[in-house]
């Protein structure tokens, strides 16, 4: 590890962090511009918009497991650099197609799918990169900074995207393309890390190993169960929220956007304070209670319309985002500490495949449930009670997570007793909670 100033995380992490920060802000531009182009330029139907939006999820069950196997066998730093370049090209195709007059829904679907596929491989490397470039006792701080950047992008990204689109139109996508170029340049400037891992077994054996590893370890198994439960209910809340806001409560786009920005501010605050909370309570305990509180605060939407809808949604989403960041700053390191370096890729990929794979289904269930209940209840009450049901389902994620801290404490005691400095299961205890947390997009890299 290269020398660094007190409180710093080193040049390698700073380059990684800078590239990621620029890239995630750029991502918000594409998320805004693509559906806008479809509606106002291609005059696409709601179904077509939904199909293109679905493209970002298709790669999860199709590519997720094999991505972990392949990234384990590849140079991780070079893989992430190539993924950035693939995403750059896929984004550039969209404005070029517009200017050359062959932009279509099918082409947008292909571009979004390519971006999503490259992102799946990139994200496997992402979770390997942090422990590769920072010390173990600095991971909570590292993930907190990455989560903070993500939260800032959620706050500033939509406003930046709207302003750029108003000024530049489809050319706004060039800014996102440039962000991938900056990210690639940052990886290129880093010292080599994450070389090929020599592992035994065929591709199929490695493919299935990721699922076995997640289930065999008692801590990983509880995190998987918590994440699946969270993502079975959380997307219902998120999918139905705009329906409630616009059609059920009649608030304007501006008011709803402001309320969502408050949610992003809450997420940023959570990213800042989560490391301190985990130091005091321990990683597992912080994760469990954050899961419960993240879900229960969602019930705050039931206070509207008895109270003014805009402030109700703003306060609810601010708290929702705060606890979401606490979850995200307490999941990946908890899992990383349980797995040796050669298995990190397949473990992360299998985890994402299982836990993210339920999101599209949950979103569909939310929409169908509101449609079925609108006639007997009306759109407002249908949306409110479907969101409440999804929130209560997601809150059950607290139950499997509640047993994580005792397991980490037991592992820490065993480590202290034996004096064993190695091993995967000894690094996730309460003693490490003072310096390690989870973060980045993991447990909930999914749910909200």
């Amino acid at each position: 590890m290269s020398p660094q100033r007190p409180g710093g995380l080193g040049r390698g992490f700073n380059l990684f962090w800078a590239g990621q920060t620029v890239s995630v802000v750029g991502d918000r531009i594409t998320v805004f511009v693509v559906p806008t182009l479809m509606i106002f330029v291609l005059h696409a139907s709601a179904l077509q918009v939904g199909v293109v939006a679905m493209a970002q999820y298709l790669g999860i069950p199709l590519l997720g497991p094999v991505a972990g196997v392949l990234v384990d066998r590849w140079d991780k730093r070079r893989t992430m650099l190539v993924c950035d370049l693939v995403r750059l090209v896929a984004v550039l195709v969209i404005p070029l197609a517009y200017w050359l007059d062959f932009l279509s829904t099918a082409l947008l679907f292909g571009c979004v799918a390519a971006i999503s596929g490259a992102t799946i491989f990139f994200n496997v490397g992402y979770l390997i990169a942090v422990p590769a470039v920072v010390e173990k006792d600095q991971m909570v701080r590292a993930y907190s900074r990455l989560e903070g950047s993500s939260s800032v992008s959620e706050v500033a990204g939509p406003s930046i995207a709207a302003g750029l689109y108003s000024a530049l139109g489809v050319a706004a996508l060039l800014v996102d393309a440039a962000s991938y170029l900056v990210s690639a340049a940052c990886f290129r400037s880093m010292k080599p890390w994450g070389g090929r891992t020599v592992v035994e077994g065929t591709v199929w054996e490695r493919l299935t190993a990721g699922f076995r590893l997640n289930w065999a370890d008692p801590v990983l198994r509880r995190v998987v169960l918590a994440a699946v439960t969270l993502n079975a209910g959380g997307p219902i809340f998120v999918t139905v929220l705009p329906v409630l806001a616009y059609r059920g409560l009649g608030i304007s786009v501006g008011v709803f956007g402001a309320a969502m920005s408050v949610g992003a501010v809450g997420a940023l605050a959570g990213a800042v304070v989560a490391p301190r909370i985990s130091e005091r309570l321990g990683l597992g305990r912080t994760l469990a209670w954050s899961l419960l509180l993240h879900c229960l605060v969602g019930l705050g939407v039931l206070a509207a319309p008895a109270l003014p809808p805009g402030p109700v949604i703003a306060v609810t989403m601010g708290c929702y985002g705060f606890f979401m960041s606490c979850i995200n700053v307490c999941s990946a390191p908890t899992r990383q500490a349980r797995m040796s370096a050669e298995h990190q890729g397949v473990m992360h990929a299998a985890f994402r495949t299982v836990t993210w794979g339920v999101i599209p289904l949950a979103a569909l269930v939310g929409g169908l449930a509101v449609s079925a209940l609108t006639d007997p209840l009306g759109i407002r009450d249908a949306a409110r009670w479907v969101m409440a049901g999804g929130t209560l389902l997601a809150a059950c994620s607290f139950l499997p997570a509640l047993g994580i801290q005792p397991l980490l404490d037991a592992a820490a005691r065993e480590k202290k007793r034996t004096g064993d400095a190695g091993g995967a299961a000894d690094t996730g205890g309460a003693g490490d909670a003072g310096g390690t947390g989870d973060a980045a997009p993991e447990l909930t890299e999914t749910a909200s």
Side-chain angles (χ1 to χ4, degrees):
M1 190 69 64
S2 60
Q4 59 193 62
R5 68 181 186 280
L9 296 178
R11 180 176 180 272
F13 175 79
N14 289 338
L15 285 168
F16 176 68
W17 184 26
Q20 280 301 97
T21 300
V22 172
S23 180
V24 294
V25 173
D27 290 343
R28 302 308 303 170
I29 298 171
T30 297
V31 167
F32 180 89
V33 171
V34 168
T36 303
L37 278 175
M38 295 190 69
I39 293 169
F40 293 106
V41 176
L42 299 179
H43 306 290
S45 67
L47 176 60
Q48 289 173 314
V49 173
V51 168
V52 171
M54 184 182 65
Q56 64 185 307
Y57 297 111
L58 288 178
I60 296 171
L62 298 177
L63 296 177
V66 72
V69 176
L70 296 177
V71 172
D72 271 343
R73 296 168 183 262
W74 295 343
D75 183 289
K76 282 74 170 175
R77 170 173 160 268
R78 186 174 300 168
T79 297
M80 297 178 78
L81 193 156
V82 170
C83 288
D84 272 335
L85 296 178
V86 169
R87 294 189 290 184
L88 182 154
V89 171
V91 171
L92 280 178
V93 167
I94 299 173
L96 288 176
Y98 172 78
W99 292 324
L100 296 175
D101 200 27
F102 64 90
L103 185 65
S104 66
T105 298
L107 186 141
L108 283 173
F109 181 94
C111 290
V112 171
I115 294 168
S116 173
T119 299
I120 289 169
F121 283 87
F122 182 93
N123 284 343
V124 175
Y126 175 96
L127 290 168
I128 299 173
V130 177
V133 298
V134 301
E135 300 292 350
K136 183 174 66 177
D137 62 357
Q138 297 174 324
M139 283 203 293
V140 167
R141 289 167 52 215
Y143 277 119
S144 178
R145 295 182 186 185
L146 290 167
E147 184 69 17
S149 295
S150 177
S151 299
V152 168
S153 77
E154 294 292 334
V155 176
S159 298
I160 294 172
L164 287 172
Y165 185 77
S166 297
L168 303 175
V170 69
L173 289 173
L174 298 179
V175 177
D176 188 21
S179 74
Y180 288 127
L181 187 61
V182 170
S183 179
C186 288
F187 282 115
R188 182 69 179 83
S189 300
M190 293 172 68
K191 292 182 178 179
W193 59 269
R196 294 181 178 87
T197 303
V198 178
V199 293
E200 297 181 357
T202 65
V203 171
W204 175 252
E205 289 171 342
R206 295 296 295 162
L207 194 66
T208 56
F211 295 97
R212 292 199 308 271
L213 290 169
N214 275 286
W215 193 252
D217 183 274
V219 170
L220 297 180
R221 181 167 61 249
R222 288 178 178 272
V223 176
V224 168
L225 291 173
V228 169
T229 306
L230 181 67
N231 291 335
I236 295 175
F237 179 97
V238 174
T239 299
V240 178
L241 179 59
V243 177
L244 174 67
Y246 294 137
R247 297 182 59 195
L249 301 174
I251 69 174
S252 67
V253 174
V255 170
F256 184 62
M260 297 306 291
S261 292
V262 172
V265 171
L268 178 59
V272 172
V273 305
R276 296 182 182 179
I277 297 174
S278 68
E279 287 177 7
R280 185 175 296 271
L281 299 181
L283 282 178
R285 197 170 291 111
T286 302
L287 177 60
W289 285 103
S290 294
L291 282 165
L292 180 63
L293 294 172
H294 165 73
C295 298
L296 293 184
V297 297
L299 296 175
V301 296
L302 298 178
L307 297 176
V312 165
I313 293 177
V315 172
T316 298
M317 295 310 295
C319 297
Y320 198 79
F322 177 90
F323 291 112
M324 174 64 77
S325 281
C326 290
I327 296 167
N328 283 343
V329 178
C330 289
S331 160
T334 299
R335 295 183 299 104
Q336 286 171 334
R338 308 292 296 186
M339 197 59 54
S340 56
E342 65 268 24
H343 298 309
Q344 291 276 342
V346 292
M347 182 267 287
H348 287 309
F351 178 86
R352 286 171 179 266
T353 300
V354 172
T355 59
W356 286 30
V358 300
I359 295 176
L361 179 60
L364 177 62
V365 168
L368 290 174
V370 172
S371 297
L373 295 174
T374 295
D375 283 343
L377 299 179
I379 185 66
R380 185 178 69 194
D381 285 342
R384 292 169 76 221
W385 294 116
V386 169
M387 290 174 69
T391 295
L392 293 174
L393 171 60
C396 295
S397 60
F398 168 77
L399 298 176
L402 196 59
I404 293 175
Q405 190 63 51
L407 293 171
L408 299 183
D409 291 341
R413 289 193 297 270
E414 180 64 17
K415 175 183 177 181
K416 184 176 181 180
R417 185 182 68 81
T418 61
D420 180 13
D426 61 15
T427 57
D432 290 334
T436 32
D438 163 49
E442 263 327 292
L443 197 57
T444 62
E445 281 171 297
T446 64
S448 63

